[in-house]
Structure formats: structure tokens, C-alpha cells
């Protein structure tokens, strides 16, 4: 992970996504780093077309967050909702320690 500049212990992806987006808003991360890290957090298999569309969606959303037009929390909720459509068993909850 490149996105999270401090240690985080989270119960699942939710906190990690929001902290990653907060780093983007603070301009400590690029949109590319943020997008790639969010995709890694969810670790789902996408078709080539799905991957292209997801990359475009995240890029548009991250630009909105970076401009200050959407909070990190709102964006994280939107991302989790969209990602859940690609996860047939629902989001995986797990413990993680990111440094």
C-alpha cells in the first residue's frame, strides 16, 4: 500500500478507504496512487471492460474529492456501494494493519 502514511488497524475496508481518500484531500497522495490502492483494498477480479469503467469512475470521483466538492466519507460510502455490486458474497471484513 502506498496510500496510508501511518499505521491503521481497521475492522474492514471502510476505514481504509476513508483514510486513503483523506490523504488525497490533503494532497499527500496522487489520484493514481489513491485509485490503485482502493482497487487493491477490494481485491476483486474485473473483466477488462469493468476495469476500464471502474478506473474512469474512480478517477472522476477522486477529482471531485480532491477539489473539495465531496467529503472523504461520502466518497468512501459511494465507492463501497459500487464495489459491492462486483462482490457476490458482499464485502469481506477482515483485520488489517497497514504501515
Amino acid at each position: 500500500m502506498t496510500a496510508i502514511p501511518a499505521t491503521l488497524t481497521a475492522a474492514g475496508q471502510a476505514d481504509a478507504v476513508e483514510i486513503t481518500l483523506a490523504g488525497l484531500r490533503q494532497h499527500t497522495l496522487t489520484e493514481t496512487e489513491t485509485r490503485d490502492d482502493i482497487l487493491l483494498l477490494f481485491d476483486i477480479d474485473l473483466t477488462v471492460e469493468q476495469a476500464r469503467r471502474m478506473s474512469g469512475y474512480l478517477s472522476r470521483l477522486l477529482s471531485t474529492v480532491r477539489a473539495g466538492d465531496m467529503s472523504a466519507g461520502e466518497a468512501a460510502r459511494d465507492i463501497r456501494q459500487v464495489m459491492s455490486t462486483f462482490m457476490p458474497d458482499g464485502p469481506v471484513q477482515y483485520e488489517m494493519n497497514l504501515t
Side-chain angles (χ1 to χ4, degrees):
M1 296 263 129
T2 60
I4 300 174
T7 300
L8 165 72
T9 301
Q13 295 128 334
D15 292 337
V17 171
E18 193 161 346
I19 288 173
T20 301
L21 291 169
L24 172 71
R25 286 204 61 184
Q26 295 163 11
H27 297 274
T28 57
L29 301 172
T30 67
E31 287 185 22
T32 300
E33 288 172 325
T34 306
R35 185 191 65 232
D36 290 349
D37 283 352
I38 287 170
L39 289 171
L40 281 173
L41 283 171
F42 287 94
D43 189 28
I44 53 179
D45 291 323
L46 300 174
T47 66
V48 172
E49 176 61 19
Q50 288 172 331
R52 185 187 66 75
R53 292 176 62 202
M54 183 63 68
S55 183
Y57 157 75
L58 286 174
S59 293
R60 289 187 300 276
L61 188 68
L62 297 180
S63 292
T64 303
V65 170
R66 185 158 233 178
D69 295 331
M70 179 182 271
S71 74
E74 291 171 318
R77 283 188 296 277
D78 193 80
I79 289 168
R80 289 193 310 273
Q81 183 178 19
V82 168
M83 290 295 193
S84 70
T85 65
F86 295 98
M87 303 173 82
D89 299 324
V92 176
Q93 292 295 313
Y94 54 89
E95 290 291 325
M96 62 183 157
N97 188 6
L98 304 174
T99 55

